[in-house]
Amino acid sequence: MVAPMNFNEEYTRRIDYIEKILRRYLPAQEGYQKVIMEAMEYSLMAGGKRIRPMLMLETYRLFGGEPGMIAPFMAAIEMIHTYSLVHDDLPAMDNDEYRRGRKTTHIIYGEDMGILAGDALLNYAFETACRSFDLDGEYAVRAGKAMKILAGKAGIYGMIGGQVVDVKESGHEVSGDVLDFIYRLKTSALIEASMMIGAVMAGAEDEDIRTVEQIARKIGLAFQIQDDILDVTSTTEVLGKPVHSDEKNKKTTYVTLKGIEESKKDVERMTAEAIRELNRYPAQDEFLEQLLKSLVYREK
Ligand code: GRG
């Protein structure tokens, strides 16, 4: 008889594995510019749920990927995500002092180094992902495809584009369509990149990669709506960052448009749909299903 999976144990095991990878790919702290390597480590190793590399790894496994080949992209996606948080916290953006339960990077290292640490993580993400080109034959071809996805989903047609509209539309009410656009780009794009890159590096067919993109889009939307809910219902101690930040920044969110109860139902519905669509694949992944379910009821 197969023993039932202990989700919490498996989750902790994966966090440890991902953090080992992140440490392995961080640059050595040396040279006249050492302070930037310190600031990169400070922000990258501050904890966090590591959802993006985790989804990448699980999708890679779902499509039969061999151990090891995906590691540079797992590190790269978390570096890009962390850079976005470092910049999002800057005085010119949300001006926040706490993130992941500790002082934000610009508070510790100053605004100038905060900007540079974000830039450094973004650039180093691509330097890290480029290491996949050193892999053998077919993997180098897959790495090229994955790189294109990473660059596109992080850029003006992806996360940065979403952030631009989010910042531009702050301070007044926006329509549901504009909000969907912001969420799809600002939050879903990196989750799409994570899962698509997992599939690409495992050698999935183009049609499956497109399906994975659609599934990840739903997961990203559900994730962002839950983020909106927690901003209203949670506490600074639990979240590790300020609550009521959407109200402070006068942002339209799913919660302001639809209310908490409706938003919760949407998170549950989108997650159930994503799980159903993933379950069509013959190689099922119990951890992935549990992970998606846990995101619906997450507290931070
Ligand atoms: C280019 C100046 C400049 C800034 C770019 C793109 C950008 C800044 C910011 C967008 C980042 C952002 C706040 C997206 C929202 C997505 C979201 C819910 C982030 C929180 O992710 P979690 O919950 O965080 O995974 P942890 O800490 O767990 O990793």
Side-chain angles (χ1 to χ4, degrees):
M1 204 174 79
V2 183
M5 186 197 62
N6 182 326
F7 176 73
N8 289 337
E9 252 176 53
E10 287 295 323
Y11 181 79
T12 309
R13 209 198 310 268
R14 278 159 175 85
I15 294 264
D16 290 347
Y17 176 62
I18 290 166
E19 298 202 336
K20 271 198 195 92
I21 290 175
L22 295 178
R23 285 209 175 278
R24 192 195 318 152
Y25 284 103
L26 267 170
Q29 298 189 1
E30 58 193 14
Y32 289 124
Q33 74 277 48
K34 184 171 178 243
V35 64
I36 208 65
M37 286 83 157
E38 289 169 3
M40 288 164 80
E41 183 187 348
Y42 177 82
S43 51
L44 192 68
M45 301 314 297
K49 295 180 287 299
R50 314 301 191 192
I51 277 306
R52 293 153 192 85
M54 211 176 275
L55 286 172
M56 186 183 286
L57 180 62
E58 291 315 309
T59 313
Y60 182 69
R61 286 180 173 157
L62 189 70
F63 284 94
E66 293 166 30
M69 304 301 189
I70 193 76
F73 280 101
M74 288 169 64
I77 199 87
E78 190 67 11
M79 287 178 195
I80 293 181
H81 165 60
T82 304
Y83 118 77
S84 82
L85 301 181
V86 171
H87 277 187
D88 197 51
D89 291 334
L90 286 168
M93 298 266 175
D94 281 358
N95 193 19
D96 282 326
E97 288 189 13
Y98 282 92
R99 165 78 67 181
R100 292 173 163 175
R102 52 158 112 169
K103 296 255 186 197
T104 44
T105 310
H106 69 273
I107 294 291
I108 299 293
Y109 290 92
E111 194 177 343
D112 46 7
M113 288 301 149
I115 295 170
L116 286 167
D119 294 341
L121 281 167
L122 173 58
N123 202 81
Y124 207 71
F126 284 97
E127 292 175 57
T128 304
C130 278
R131 295 207 195 178
S132 303
F133 290 126
D134 300 336
L135 296 170
D136 286 343
E138 183 55 30
Y139 277 102
V141 176
R142 292 178 194 173
K145 220 167 150 183
M147 191 69 89
K148 195 171 162 195
I149 293 169
L150 187 66
K153 296 287 184 189
I156 55 171
Y157 303 107
M159 184 181 70
I160 293 178
Q163 176 77 352
V164 168
V165 182
D166 193 20
V167 169
K168 198 165 115 339
E169 301 297 339
S170 280
H172 56 262
E173 193 156 312
V174 300
S175 68
D177 281 354
V178 174
L179 199 66
D180 279 344
F181 177 90
I182 294 172
Y183 285 14
R184 179 164 60 78
L185 270 64
K186 185 181 82 162
T187 309
S188 287
L190 271 205
I191 292 181
E192 288 164 27
S194 306
M195 296 185 72
M196 288 168 80
I197 289 170
V200 166
M201 289 304 284
E205 300 292 333
D206 286 350
E207 198 189 323
D208 287 331
I209 295 162
R210 280 193 293 275
T211 305
V212 163
E213 183 176 29
Q214 295 309 318
I215 295 172
R217 186 160 296 175
K218 273 187 199 154
I219 295 171
L221 262 179
F223 188 78
Q224 181 58 57
I225 299 170
Q226 183 64 18
D227 198 71
D228 293 351
I229 295 171
L230 293 174
D231 189 58
V232 177
T233 59
S234 190
T235 62
T236 302
E237 290 69 39
V238 174
L239 274 190
K241 62 179 182 180
V243 285
H244 307 305
S245 74
D246 294 328
E247 193 185 340
K248 180 187 100 181
N249 296 314
K250 297 196 177 61
K251 280 190 182 168
T252 305
T253 68
Y254 248 74
V255 172
T256 62
L257 277 186
K258 294 196 160 188
I260 299 249
E261 288 315 312
E262 204 58 33
S263 300
K264 279 185 182 166
K265 277 189 201 145
D266 281 351
V267 174
E268 282 177 21
R269 178 181 50 77
M270 285 175 203
T271 305
E273 281 172 17
I275 291 172
R276 208 164 36 245
E277 284 159 31
L278 277 169
N279 279 339
R280 284 203 208 122
Y281 287 103
Q284 291 177 13
D285 181 334
E286 195 192 341
F287 177 78
L288 180 56
E289 181 168 339
Q290 296 290 336
L291 176 67
L292 297 180
K293 284 183 180 157
S294 78
L295 291 180
V296 179
Y297 304 105
R298 74 183 194 272
E299 290 180 345
K300 62 180 189 170

